[in-house]
């Protein structure tokens, strides 16, 4: 966005080097999508207190609203029509600490306060919260159970699918247990 950054009251070039004493004003661009509208949808809430909610997410439910749907359960603290959540991710993904794909069922944590959101995010980032996935497979396996460890990333040709990445530069470290 042109003019979105002013240095000392004047538009700045991207190559400008900030100097001591400069006054910087940043005007973020307007969102390109509407804010989500909270809905009272039925959820299997396993635990809830003033800091967080733990929800058993069914398959075929999105964790945060798709741009086309704008659906949400929790709202940012400014809204009074539904339970509040952290606004660290902005109005579009309120309280979302981590996510599960639409077709994946499982437990998800929703932060209701900014401090809890930061702490939970750090625990996920440092792998202090361990996520375990169980996957259905097709074909004949030569074992009763096993683990696949590798970098999990988007499929090269189908961005919706996830796969074990074939090089170290793509994806995040992960482990899948085969039962």
């Amino acid at each position: 966005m042109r003019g979105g950054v002013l240095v000392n009251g004047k538009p700045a070039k991207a190559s400008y080097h900030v100097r001591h004493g400069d006054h910087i004003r940043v005007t973020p661009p307007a969102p390109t999508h509407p804010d989500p509208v909270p809905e009272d949808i039925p959820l299997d809430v396993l635990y809830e207190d003033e800091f967080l909610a733990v929800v058993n997410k069914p398959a075929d439910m999105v964790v945060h609203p798709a741009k086309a749907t704008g659906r949400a359960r929790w709202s940012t603290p400014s809204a009074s029509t539904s339970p509040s959540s952290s606004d660290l991710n902005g109005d579009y993904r309120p309280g979302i600490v981590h996510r599960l794909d639409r077709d994946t069922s499982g437990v998800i944590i929703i932060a209701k306060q900014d401090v809890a959101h930061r702490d939970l995010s750090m625990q996920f980032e440092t792998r202090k919260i361990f996520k375990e996935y169980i996957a259905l497979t097709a074909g004949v396996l030569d074992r009763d159970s096993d683990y696949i460890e590798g970098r999990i990333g988007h499929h090269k040709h189908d961005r919706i699918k996830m796969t074990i990445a074939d090089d170290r530069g793509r994806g995040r470290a992960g482990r899948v247990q085969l039962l």
Side-chain angles (χ1 to χ4, degrees):
M1 171 180 145
R2 292 194 175 273
V5 177
L6 300 178
V7 178
N8 302 319
K10 299 176 185 172
K13 293 184 179 181
S15 61
Y16 178 80
H17 292 278
V18 177
R19 297 181 185 109
H20 180 73
D22 281 346
H23 293 279
I24 312 295
R25 179 175 294 242
V26 178
T27 305
T32 58
H33 49 76
D35 288 341
V37 177
E39 289 184 39
D40 187 17
I41 55 177
L43 294 175
D44 182 9
V45 178
L46 303 173
Y47 175 82
E48 185 171 10
D49 63 21
E50 67 270 23
F51 304 105
L52 58 91
V54 178
V55 176
N56 186 18
K57 183 193 97 58
D60 202 34
M61 176 185 278
V62 293
V63 170
H64 54 82
K67 291 179 183 177
T69 65
R71 297 180 65 184
R73 168 62 162 82
W74 274 270
S75 66
T76 55
S78 59
S80 60
T81 57
S82 70
S84 67
S85 60
S86 162
D87 61 353
L88 285 183
N89 285 338
D91 291 341
Y92 195 64
R93 292 181 55 186
I96 303 301
V97 177
H98 67 105
R99 58 182 290 277
L100 291 175
D101 290 340
R102 178 183 181 156
D103 296 329
T104 303
S105 63
V107 176
I108 186 161
I109 301 171
I110 310 295
K112 295 170 74 176
Q113 294 183 351
D114 290 350
V115 172
H117 195 149
R118 273 192 289 276
D119 289 348
L120 289 164
S121 293
M122 182 55 67
Q123 290 178 53
F124 273 100
E125 187 176 323
T126 59
R127 306 281 189 224
K128 290 186 176 159
I129 295 178
F130 178 75
K131 292 191 292 185
E132 184 172 278
Y133 297 89
I134 298 175
L136 298 176
T137 62
V140 178
L141 301 176
D142 61 355
R143 301 184 170 102
D144 290 336
S145 69
D146 205 347
Y147 290 93
I148 297 174
E149 293 190 44
R151 300 192 68 78
I152 301 170
H154 287 284
H155 189 276
K156 286 182 180 181
H157 305 293
D158 186 344
R159 300 291 297 164
I160 295 174
K161 292 182 181 179
M162 302 298 284
T163 185
I164 300 295
D166 56 4
D167 59 56
R168 295 196 54 82
R170 293 188 314 124
R172 300 176 95 183
R175 179 176 180 170
V176 176
Q177 181 179 7
L178 303 176
L179 299 173

